Amino acid sequence: MKIPNPYAATCPTRLVLDRVADKWTVLILGLLANGPMRFNQLRRQIEGLSQKMLSQTLKSLERDGLISRKAFPTVPVTVEYSITPLGQTLTSTLDALRIWAESHIGEVLDAQKRYDTVA
């Protein structure tokens, strides 16, 4: 296999980077790292995430092998999502990104304010 070059326009790693750089992916995987959750639990925990976007993101994450979906034969059907071993390999990286954002948001907002006053 050819060595991936994410700087090349045709490199498939760009698809993975696009997925894991998405804010919803970061938040969903962060929650699922703590244990399996149902669809509506995820929706309630992540404010601002629409039902449609949650559904699309979960399907993409499942397709990429980062989460798994398990349906239980109840009425109505209960569906639970959990992180896969592959998804687990991302959790420390994504958690570090979330922590960085939390720790540095003040500096980012200050920089934006300075930029906006000059521009």
Side-chain angles (χ1 to χ4, degrees):
M1 181 176 163
K2 187 178 170 184
I3 296 174
N5 176 7
Y7 297 98
T10 58
C11 184
T13 59
R14 286 194 176 188
L15 299 172
V16 175
L17 291 172
D18 185 45
R19 175 87 57 244
V20 299
D22 177 72
K23 68 180 173 187
W24 302 127
T25 293
V26 172
L27 297 172
I28 290 168
L29 289 179
L31 287 175
L32 292 179
N34 298 321
M37 294 182 83
R38 292 176 25 194
F39 185 91
N40 284 326
Q41 287 177 293
L42 288 165
R43 218 171 126 214
R44 282 191 299 273
Q45 290 284 321
I46 305 172
E47 294 180 11
L49 177 56
S50 70
Q51 182 171 337
K52 179 182 177 184
M53 185 54 67
L54 176 57
S55 181
Q56 287 175 352
T57 305
L58 288 170
K59 285 178 185 177
S60 296
L61 291 170
E62 184 180 11
R63 182 173 184 258
D64 292 343
L66 301 175
I67 65 167
S68 62
R69 178 184 186 275
K70 184 176 181 181
F72 297 92
T74 57
V75 179
V77 173
T78 302
V79 177
E80 185 178 84
Y81 296 90
S82 57
I83 197 163
T84 64
L86 179 61
Q88 196 69 43
T89 65
L90 263 177
T91 57
S92 62
T93 302
L94 296 180
D95 202 38
L97 180 60
R98 181 191 52 78
I99 291 167
W100 183 91
E102 290 172 355
S103 301
H104 297 281
I105 187 61
E107 295 164 81
V108 171
L109 293 173
D110 289 345
Q112 290 176 349
K113 195 176 195 178
R114 283 191 306 277
Y115 179 89
D116 291 345
T117 353
V118 175

